[in-house]
Amino acid sequence: MSASAQADSPQATAESVADFLRRVRTGIEGGLDPVTAANRAAEELPQRLARLVQLLSRRVRGDYHEDEWGFDEEFAEAVYPVFEFLYEAWWRVDAVGVRNVPAHGRALLVSNHAGSLFPFDASMILLAIMKQHPLPRWARFLVLDWAFVLPFISAFMRRVGGVPASKHNAARLLEQDEVVMVFPEGVKGTGKQFSERYRLQRFGRGGFVEVALRTGSPIVPVAVVGSEEIYPKLGNARPVARAVGAPFVPITPTFPWLGPLGLVPLPSKWRIEFCEPIDLSAHGPDAADDPRLLFDVSEQVRETIQARLYENLVERRAAFFHPL
Amino acid sequence: MAGRRVVIIGVASHWGRELARRLERDPEIDYLAGIDTGSAPADLGRTNFIEADIRSPLLSRLLPGTEAETIVHCGILWYPEPGKPARVLHDVNVIGTLQLLAACERTRTLERLVVRGSAAIYGCEGATPYFFTEGMARTLPLRTRFQRDISELEAYVDNFARRHPEVACCTLRYQPEIGPDLGTPLVRYLQLPVVPTQLGWDPRLQLVHADDATAVLEAAIRSRTRGAVNVAPSGSISLSHVLRVLRRPTLPIPHPLFGPALERLGRRLGAGPIYGDGVRLLRFGRGVDNRRLLDEVGYRPHFNAETAIRDFAANARGARISRSIHPGDVVGRFAGAAR
């Protein structure tokens, strides 16, 4: 109780921090290593600060877990508030039908893809499940190969649950009963012009259906409305793209004209709909070799998403200006 | 069942010696011989040391005489060493393996051939399957000399296996090993007082614990598994996590400068340079699927990717953080200012 009373006044907090630093110093002079000293000294701090110091010292010592995919749950939780802000305040996301994502076991979420620079759509789908599902779970997502040859971005993506887009990765994740997001449009989706927004591109070679069949996973089509307005791509700086090896470099109303500020995504209104799962288990794993079935299911998923996109566009009304 | 007559090629290498030491204790093995250049390792007992160069055709006359039932090839070099410069590597790895296979052709008693190869055959790239299975070799470009050599010698072994179905041939694809006294470039790198890393990169690694690495060799000669088998712990661990567990401060360097920087720093601090394959490994990392090892060879590694590192941290000697850059001084100064 006294701890919370202390925390209330900034002066008291400053004093306890000074006291903490003094204790760290005595600890170090007493022969402790700095991390242990900080950890011990933190016991006297107000609770929130103490927990922070303990968390940091645990991280510094490597006392945390990452799974075999490099997903680091603690790290994901640390950056969660940033995406929560985007979800709540920036894009005001409405999520519909989250319960169509199974609470247990494997599932393949298939969604339209847009937003060129960063898979914001993946992160918002992930948040919708974390925030609105009765049994929240971290979804994994397949990321365009190119992101994994970039420094910083590749390491970040991996820690929050991204893996390079590969059938092998998707199949292994599903075998481990994870929820996996795929964007079969790929670069064709992220790189489409603003004028083509919400028109689904070709769905690759139907590789996602093959994976779903082989692993016996239900497919949950997901329609994301709003993501296609955050970076209205008007043109493509092809020479620049070629020079840096990128699939494309978008020219938007704000980028590159406003410099880094132009990378701020526009605050469109979002709606995410999770559709009824498509159960493929009746076909059996061997059906994965039947190209006709692959195309049929792929087309069925594509049509479902396209139809739900149009519906949700109407439901959402204007992209940017909403009367309060 | 392992053959009663075992010959270890490259017995003077670390792994050859370790294997010989284990097999010496096995009463079922009647005859144990080791072939290598130079002089016999001092700590071996009943192993018959035969001095021969794997690259010489002499091998074809020596090997049939041993009437070997099992041959273990531990002579593949992963990195240059004193007395074995980079030029020699290709000769030993490719020509040496060819000579060995030629000698195997003449060894009529042969039933089992185990080659200690490398997972470098898969390469290291940014966007790849996170767990390579054995069938995915050579799907990525072979970028380094060592990769090409490994790929070539595996092709020779496969060819031999096709022509001799009576011999169960197995290539073990090892991820890099870790152990306090291995002295490999990677281990020396991890023991540096300040470890340079590539700015913005954090590779996923699987390092095989030295105990598991030897035990797998033994398990492989006892099994009849054919074809390639990945040797790796379960799970994976990122380099940043490894270095935190080892309590090593890092020095991030832009990746084009990493190789040269490491070469200079390494020489001053007592670690050698990291070669082509290693630089890529420390940027992109590599993970392999070890289900064949578990299910078909029947060996379950004692350490997973994380516990292997923790065990290494507990046993590693090596430089501690020097007093002069002790972070405690920085904290202390702040504490003084806060008064």
Side-chain angles (χ1 to χ4, degrees):
Chain A
M1 238 168 284
S2 65
S4 65
Q6 268 176 17
D8 285 345
S9 109
Q11 207 181 351
T13 311
E15 245 167 52
S16 64
V17 169
D19 198 39
F20 161 73
L21 292 174
R22 269 194 297 277
R23 269 198 306 279
V24 173
R25 186 174 194 176
T26 357
I28 290 166
E29 279 162 1
L32 291 175
D33 74 280
V35 181
T36 318
N39 217 357
R40 287 212 191 146
E43 282 163 16
E44 306 273 318
L45 278 175
Q47 223 174 30
R48 279 189 60 182
L49 279 175
R51 225 175 284 153
L52 186 69
V53 171
Q54 278 155 1
L55 171 75
L56 286 178
S57 57
R58 221 157 37 71
R59 297 288 302 184
V60 165
R61 283 191 172 151
D63 287 338
Y64 56 93
H65 179 70
E66 52 181 325
D67 74 2
E68 63 171 34
W69 302 93
F71 171 65
D72 179 345
E73 190 170 346
E74 240 168 43
F75 180 85
E77 265 164 16
V79 298
Y80 192 83
V82 178
F83 292 93
E84 207 169 21
F85 165 79
L86 290 174
Y87 187 94
E88 297 277 355
W90 198 250
W91 288 317
R92 292 116 39 223
V93 181
D94 286 331
V96 188
V98 185
R99 277 164 183 273
N100 284 326
V101 179
H104 308 282
R106 55 192 75 173
L108 189 64
L109 309 190
V110 181
S111 165
N112 57 314
H113 202 20
S116 40
L117 295 163
F118 185 89
F120 283 117
D121 37 11
S123 58
M124 291 302 113
I125 295 173
L126 189 150
L127 255 83
I129 298 171
M130 286 302 279
K131 290 173 73 74
Q132 321 238 305
H133 200 280
L135 284 167
R137 53 197 296 202
W138 293 100
R140 308 303 179 95
F141 48 100
L142 299 196
V143 184
L144 190 65
D145 284 356
W146 187 62
F148 276 91
V149 301
L150 298 173
F152 298 104
I153 293 179
S154 57
F156 179 84
M157 293 283 187
R158 202 183 68 217
R159 277 181 209 161
V160 297
V163 296
S166 137
K167 259 188 255 179
H168 305 286
N169 286 339
R172 192 178 168 106
L173 277 167
L174 288 169
E175 279 161 18
Q176 295 169 355
D177 284 333
E178 298 284 351
V179 170
V180 182
M181 277 179 249
V182 292
F183 302 90
E185 283 178 279
V187 191
K188 297 188 297 302
T190 50
K192 66 191 165 197
Q193 301 289 322
F194 187 59
S195 56
E196 294 193 22
R197 63 190 181 279
Y198 301 117
R199 273 188 226 144
L200 282 183
Q201 305 295 302
R202 181 166 63 81
F203 263 21
R205 283 164 233 116
F208 72 96
V209 186
E210 187 189 329
V211 171
L213 282 166
R214 243 184 249 295
T215 56
S217 319
I219 292 180
V220 181
V222 181
V224 182
V225 163
S227 59
E228 313 217 0
E229 283 108 1
I230 61 174
Y231 293 118
K233 180 168 166 267
L234 303 176
N236 181 8
R238 201 161 298 165
V240 184
R242 206 165 295 161
V244 298
F248 60 87
V249 170
I251 295 171
T252 72
T254 54
F255 185 81
W257 327 115
L258 300 183
L261 206 65
L263 292 176
V264 176
L266 299 182
S268 54
K269 166 81 182 166
W270 283 40
R271 257 181 94 82
I272 301 177
E273 180 175 350
F274 296 83
C275 309
E276 288 275 318
I278 302 170
D279 185 12
L280 299 170
S281 55
H283 295 286
D286 293 335
D289 297 323
D290 175 0
R292 185 131 176 229
L293 181 66
L294 298 193
F295 275 116
D296 285 353
V297 177
S298 168
E299 205 44 40
Q300 182 196 347
V301 174
R302 190 173 171 276
E303 274 164 18
T304 310
I305 297 174
Q306 184 70 74
R308 298 318 300 164
L309 278 177
Y310 289 143
E311 290 269 329
N312 280 294
L313 272 169
V314 177
E315 294 268 327
R316 178 189 66 163
R317 293 178 301 167
F320 293 103
F321 302 105
H322 279 263
L324 295 170
Chain B
M1 206 42 232
R4 291 168 182 277
R5 303 180 67 82
V6 180
V7 175
I8 301 171
I9 313 292
V11 75
S13 70
H14 177 86
W15 303 110
R17 208 170 58 235
E18 290 289 313
L19 178 67
R21 212 181 291 164
R22 271 173 174 253
L23 295 182
E24 279 183 356
R25 275 178 271 155
D26 186 344
E28 298 229 319
I29 290 170
D30 301 334
Y31 173 85
L32 186 61
I35 298 182
D36 212 325
T37 52
S39 55
D43 50 351
L44 291 185
R46 66 181 177 111
T47 309
N48 297 315
F49 185 77
I50 304 169
E51 193 190 332
D53 192 326
I54 186 176
R55 289 165 291 179
S56 82
L58 186 68
L59 207 62
S60 294
R61 266 178 281 156
L62 276 173
L63 213 49
T66 62
E67 293 177 2
E69 290 164 349
T70 300
I71 293 178
V72 191
H73 183 14
C74 291
I76 293 166
L77 302 174
W78 288 33
Y79 50 89
E81 286 168 72
K84 285 169 183 166
R87 276 178 295 110
V88 176
L89 246 63
H90 169 73
D91 277 13
V92 170
N93 291 347
V94 179
I95 309 301
T97 305
L98 262 181
Q99 290 287 3
L100 172 64
L101 292 173
C104 287
E105 297 260 359
R106 309 223 168 120
T107 314
R108 299 268 169 242
T109 46
L110 190 63
E111 293 168 10
R112 180 84 175 126
L113 173 68
V114 174
V115 178
R116 194 179 186 288
S118 164
I121 192 167
Y122 301 113
C124 305
E125 303 284 332
T128 61
Y130 265 6
F131 293 90
F132 288 107
T133 54
E134 284 79 359
M136 294 182 208
R138 308 183 187 91
T139 48
L140 297 176
L142 302 171
R143 290 185 194 269
T144 64
R145 179 80 256 183
F146 180 62
Q147 256 186 295
R148 287 191 290 272
D149 287 355
I150 282 283
S151 164
E152 199 179 342
L153 75 86
E154 270 207 29
Y156 293 138
V157 175
D158 288 350
N159 201 17
F160 176 83
R162 256 197 307 278
R163 287 166 16 87
H164 296 274
E166 75 281 5
V167 182
C169 298
C170 174
T171 309
L172 300 171
R173 293 183 183 151
Y174 274 81
Q175 286 279 42
E177 303 85 0
I178 189 169
D181 38 43
L182 289 187
T184 62
L186 189 70
V187 169
R188 286 201 302 258
Y189 163 82
L190 292 174
Q191 286 170 330
L192 286 172
V194 176
V195 183
T197 56
Q198 304 187 40
L199 183 67
W201 295 96
D202 192 13
R204 281 169 65 247
L205 301 173
Q206 291 176 318
L207 304 177
V208 186
H209 191 281
D211 294 352
D212 280 329
T214 317
V216 166
L217 267 181
E218 203 187 346
I221 64 173
R222 289 184 200 289
S223 82
R224 297 285 296 172
T225 314
R226 289 167 187 261
V229 175
N230 291 334
V231 181
S234 301
S236 74
I237 182 166
S238 51
L239 179 64
S240 62
H241 198 172
V242 171
L243 294 174
R244 283 179 194 180
V245 171
L246 299 180
R247 309 281 158 83
R248 286 285 182 276
T250 59
L251 177 68
I253 298 172
H255 66 255
L257 303 176
F258 178 78
L262 200 69
E263 200 162 331
R264 294 215 160 168
L265 202 82
R267 207 167 290 151
R268 288 192 64 175
L269 296 170
I274 295 251
Y275 296 94
D277 198 56
V279 172
R280 292 188 67 83
L281 181 74
L282 291 174
R283 187 181 322 158
F284 300 117
R286 172 176 62 229
V288 300
D289 177 288
N290 65 359
R291 278 179 281 193
R292 273 205 94 197
L293 177 68
L294 268 63
D295 300 341
E296 292 185 37
V297 178
Y299 182 79
R300 182 165 293 276
H302 292 296
F303 295 89
N304 66 26
E306 192 184 328
T307 52
I309 305 298
R310 293 203 185 275
D311 188 71
F312 176 74
N315 295 315
R317 300 159 295 152
R320 290 200 61 83
I321 305 164
S322 82
R323 264 281 159 197
S324 59
I325 52 160
H326 203 301
D329 294 349
V330 184
V331 180
R333 214 160 288 162
F334 270 113
R339 278 193 82 107

